[in-house]
Amino acid sequence: MRKKLVAGNWKMHGSLADNAALLAAIKPALAGIEAAVCVPFPYLAQVQAALAGSSLSWGAQNLSEQAKGAFTGEVSSAMLLDFGCTYVIVGHSERRSLYGESDELVAKKYLAAQAAGLTPILCVGESLDERESGVTEQVVARQLDAVIGMAGVASLAKAVVAYEPVWAIGTGKTASPEQAQAVHAFIRGKIATLDAGVAEGLTIQYGGSVKAANAAELMAQPDIDGGLIGGASLIADEFVAICRAAAQ
Ligand code: 13P
């Protein structure tokens, strides 16, 4: 069976005090359940200290495509490894739209993550305009092809894909389980045309306004293998309930 994984994306939220309280609440509640939190860079050391030895993993929300050098403000894959990261999100729609990350740059970041032994969580998804124009599949295919073209389909055996429709992120508008399942099945089917084994084993998360109240029906879909959780990952009870729903 393929692995289910819920990951929290804290985005640019948190403080030492708030994080300590959140981690102290989720760690015992999720004992034995594999889940992850992707936190702002300055808090990686705090999260590493709090979660080391538990069933929870941690990671970052971005990384540089460069290995090292004069790149002011950037953070490398090796630095993330220094803090025990397992995962790193690449190509989140906020990075694509607000910071101009192209498909090509996202693919380079994905490669940099894998070269260091980190597991990239590759985000794909369409905007509202694109959905309404009927090009959801083309957009998701283009985003996947950029990575497959540069890293090869076999690389997906060591990656997680997150389908995050942009119109569902932070809006309270979740894709219906059927809408999400349809795109997840498309993603798996597309990859299966290249490598059936990789497609079958690939963890595909859904992200976009996932909450405790809608997690179970999303996670029950055959091609939804967990979630990438924004706002609800900052609320201990919500995050714990979502992780438990996925683990069932
Ligand atoms: P929300 O769960 O806040 O909608 O955010 C989803 C997301 O962008 C996770 O990466």
PDB file of all heavy atoms in Angstrom, residues 9 11 92 94 164 168-170 208-210 228-231, ligand 1:
ATOM      1  N   ASN A   9       1.754  22.970   6.411  1.00  0.00           N
ATOM      2  CA  ASN A   9       2.536  24.068   5.829  1.00  0.00           C
ATOM      3  C   ASN A   9       2.202  25.299   6.655  1.00  0.00           C
ATOM      4  O   ASN A   9       1.136  25.892   6.496  1.00  0.00           O
ATOM      5  CB  ASN A   9       2.146  24.266   4.355  1.00  0.00           C
ATOM      6  CG  ASN A   9       2.808  25.492   3.744  1.00  0.00           C
ATOM      7  OD1 ASN A   9       3.672  26.108   4.374  1.00  0.00           O
ATOM      8  ND2 ASN A   9       2.409  25.850   2.539  1.00  0.00           N
ATOM      9  N   LYS A  11       3.411  28.127   6.535  1.00  0.00           N
ATOM     10  CA  LYS A  11       3.579  29.393   5.799  1.00  0.00           C
ATOM     11  C   LYS A  11       4.337  30.387   6.691  1.00  0.00           C
ATOM     12  O   LYS A  11       5.164  29.972   7.497  1.00  0.00           O
ATOM     13  CB  LYS A  11       2.227  29.912   5.305  1.00  0.00           C
ATOM     14  CG  LYS A  11       1.503  28.844   4.469  1.00  0.00           C
ATOM     15  CD  LYS A  11       0.331  29.345   3.689  1.00  0.00           C
ATOM     16  CE  LYS A  11      -0.298  28.185   2.917  1.00  0.00           C
ATOM     17  NZ  LYS A  11      -1.433  28.587   2.083  1.00  0.00           N
ATOM     18  N   HIS A  92       5.169  25.706  -4.461  1.00  0.00           N
ATOM     19  CA  HIS A  92       3.866  26.120  -3.908  1.00  0.00           C
ATOM     20  C   HIS A  92       3.316  27.270  -4.752  1.00  0.00           C
ATOM     21  O   HIS A  92       4.079  28.122  -5.237  1.00  0.00           O
ATOM     22  CB  HIS A  92       4.035  26.556  -2.447  1.00  0.00           C
ATOM     23  CG  HIS A  92       2.707  26.725  -1.768  1.00  0.00           C
ATOM     24  ND1 HIS A  92       1.950  27.865  -1.918  1.00  0.00           N
ATOM     25  CD2 HIS A  92       1.987  25.893  -0.986  1.00  0.00           C
ATOM     26  CE1 HIS A  92       0.824  27.707  -1.238  1.00  0.00           C
ATOM     27  NE2 HIS A  92       0.814  26.530  -0.662  1.00  0.00           N
ATOM     28  N   GLU A  94       1.946  29.937  -3.991  1.00  0.00           N
ATOM     29  CA  GLU A  94       2.309  31.277  -3.518  1.00  0.00           C
ATOM     30  C   GLU A  94       3.708  31.661  -3.997  1.00  0.00           C
ATOM     31  O   GLU A  94       3.972  32.826  -4.294  1.00  0.00           O
ATOM     32  CB  GLU A  94       2.190  31.331  -1.982  1.00  0.00           C
ATOM     33  CG  GLU A  94       0.722  31.356  -1.553  1.00  0.00           C
ATOM     34  CD  GLU A  94       0.421  30.723  -0.208  1.00  0.00           C
ATOM     35  OE1 GLU A  94       1.336  30.546   0.611  1.00  0.00           O
ATOM     36  OE2 GLU A  94      -0.774  30.405   0.018  1.00  0.00           O
ATOM     37  N   GLU A 164      -2.910  21.150  -5.328  1.00  0.00           N
ATOM     38  CA  GLU A 164      -3.509  22.262  -4.597  1.00  0.00           C
ATOM     39  C   GLU A 164      -4.166  23.217  -5.584  1.00  0.00           C
ATOM     40  O   GLU A 164      -3.489  24.071  -6.172  1.00  0.00           O
ATOM     41  CB  GLU A 164      -2.442  23.027  -3.809  1.00  0.00           C
ATOM     42  CG  GLU A 164      -1.740  22.206  -2.753  1.00  0.00           C
ATOM     43  CD  GLU A 164      -1.206  23.077  -1.615  1.00  0.00           C
ATOM     44  OE1 GLU A 164      -0.560  24.106  -1.876  1.00  0.00           O
ATOM     45  OE2 GLU A 164      -1.473  22.731  -0.466  1.00  0.00           O
ATOM     46  N   ALA A 168      -8.758  27.065  -4.018  1.00  0.00           N
ATOM     47  CA  ALA A 168      -9.183  26.446  -2.758  1.00  0.00           C
ATOM     48  C   ALA A 168      -8.235  26.780  -1.613  1.00  0.00           C
ATOM     49  O   ALA A 168      -8.484  26.410  -0.472  1.00  0.00           O
ATOM     50  CB  ALA A 168      -9.276  24.934  -2.925  1.00  0.00           C
ATOM     51  N   ILE A 169      -7.133  27.490  -1.910  1.00  0.00           N
ATOM     52  CA  ILE A 169      -6.125  27.751  -0.882  1.00  0.00           C
ATOM     53  C   ILE A 169      -6.495  28.970  -0.058  1.00  0.00           C
ATOM     54  O   ILE A 169      -6.614  30.073  -0.594  1.00  0.00           O
ATOM     55  CB  ILE A 169      -4.727  27.944  -1.520  1.00  0.00           C
ATOM     56  CG1 ILE A 169      -4.276  26.639  -2.185  1.00  0.00           C
ATOM     57  CG2 ILE A 169      -3.723  28.403  -0.476  1.00  0.00           C
ATOM     58  CD1 ILE A 169      -2.946  26.750  -2.906  1.00  0.00           C
ATOM     59  N   GLY A 170      -6.702  28.756   1.227  1.00  0.00           N
ATOM     60  CA  GLY A 170      -6.975  29.856   2.146  1.00  0.00           C
ATOM     61  C   GLY A 170      -8.297  30.556   1.895  1.00  0.00           C
ATOM     62  O   GLY A 170      -8.547  31.643   2.413  1.00  0.00           O
ATOM     63  N   GLY A 208      -5.804  22.555   0.188  1.00  0.00           N
ATOM     64  CA  GLY A 208      -6.733  23.653  -0.105  1.00  0.00           C
ATOM     65  C   GLY A 208      -7.922  23.591   0.815  1.00  0.00           C
ATOM     66  O   GLY A 208      -8.850  22.818   0.580  1.00  0.00           O
ATOM     67  N   SER A 209      -7.849  24.366   1.929  1.00  0.00           N
ATOM     68  CA  SER A 209      -8.949  24.447   2.883  1.00  0.00           C
ATOM     69  C   SER A 209      -9.351  23.093   3.470  1.00  0.00           C
ATOM     70  O   SER A 209     -10.525  22.844   3.712  1.00  0.00           O
ATOM     71  CB  SER A 209     -10.160  25.151   2.264  1.00  0.00           C
ATOM     72  OG  SER A 209      -9.825  26.492   1.912  1.00  0.00           O
ATOM     73  N   VAL A 210      -8.347  22.228   3.698  1.00  0.00           N
ATOM     74  CA  VAL A 210      -8.641  20.981   4.411  1.00  0.00           C
ATOM     75  C   VAL A 210      -8.801  21.313   5.894  1.00  0.00           C
ATOM     76  O   VAL A 210      -8.014  22.075   6.469  1.00  0.00           O
ATOM     77  CB  VAL A 210      -7.520  19.929   4.237  1.00  0.00           C
ATOM     78  CG1 VAL A 210      -7.852  18.656   5.008  1.00  0.00           C
ATOM     79  CG2 VAL A 210      -7.291  19.631   2.763  1.00  0.00           C
ATOM     80  N   LEU A 228      -1.871  18.429   2.316  1.00  0.00           N
ATOM     81  CA  LEU A 228      -0.940  19.517   2.637  1.00  0.00           C
ATOM     82  C   LEU A 228      -1.812  20.626   3.220  1.00  0.00           C
ATOM     83  O   LEU A 228      -2.682  21.167   2.537  1.00  0.00           O
ATOM     84  CB  LEU A 228      -0.190  19.963   1.381  1.00  0.00           C
ATOM     85  CG  LEU A 228       0.957  20.964   1.579  1.00  0.00           C
ATOM     86  CD1 LEU A 228       1.995  20.458   2.566  1.00  0.00           C
ATOM     87  CD2 LEU A 228       1.636  21.275   0.239  1.00  0.00           C
ATOM     88  N   ILE A 229      -1.577  20.909   4.499  1.00  0.00           N
ATOM     89  CA  ILE A 229      -2.541  21.660   5.285  1.00  0.00           C
ATOM     90  C   ILE A 229      -1.972  23.022   5.667  1.00  0.00           C
ATOM     91  O   ILE A 229      -0.920  23.084   6.313  1.00  0.00           O
ATOM     92  CB  ILE A 229      -2.887  20.894   6.599  1.00  0.00           C
ATOM     93  CG1 ILE A 229      -3.067  19.386   6.345  1.00  0.00           C
ATOM     94  CG2 ILE A 229      -4.109  21.503   7.268  1.00  0.00           C
ATOM     95  CD1 ILE A 229      -4.146  19.019   5.372  1.00  0.00           C
ATOM     96  N   GLY A 230      -2.653  24.070   5.311  1.00  0.00           N
ATOM     97  CA  GLY A 230      -2.215  25.413   5.668  1.00  0.00           C
ATOM     98  C   GLY A 230      -2.807  25.831   7.011  1.00  0.00           C
ATOM     99  O   GLY A 230      -2.354  25.392   8.071  1.00  0.00           O
ATOM    100  N   GLY A 231      -3.821  26.676   6.955  1.00  0.00           N
ATOM    101  CA  GLY A 231      -4.391  27.276   8.162  1.00  0.00           C
ATOM    102  C   GLY A 231      -4.683  26.290   9.284  1.00  0.00           C
ATOM    103  O   GLY A 231      -4.365  26.557  10.455  1.00  0.00           O
TER     104      GLY A 231
HETATM  105  P1  13P B   1      -5.057  26.254   3.431  1.00  0.00           P
HETATM  106  O1  13P B   1      -5.163  24.893   4.075  1.00  0.00           O
HETATM  107  O2  13P B   1      -4.904  27.367   4.415  1.00  0.00           O
HETATM  108  O3  13P B   1      -6.138  26.471   2.424  1.00  0.00           O
HETATM  109  O4  13P B   1      -3.678  26.251   2.622  1.00  0.00           O
HETATM  110  C1  13P B   1      -3.386  25.185   1.781  1.00  0.00           C
HETATM  111  C2  13P B   1      -1.980  25.299   1.355  1.00  0.00           C
HETATM  112  O5  13P B   1      -1.602  26.181   0.619  1.00  0.00           O
HETATM  113  C3  13P B   1      -1.032  24.294   1.885  1.00  0.00           C
HETATM  114  O6  13P B   1       0.182  24.353   1.219  1.00  0.00           O
END
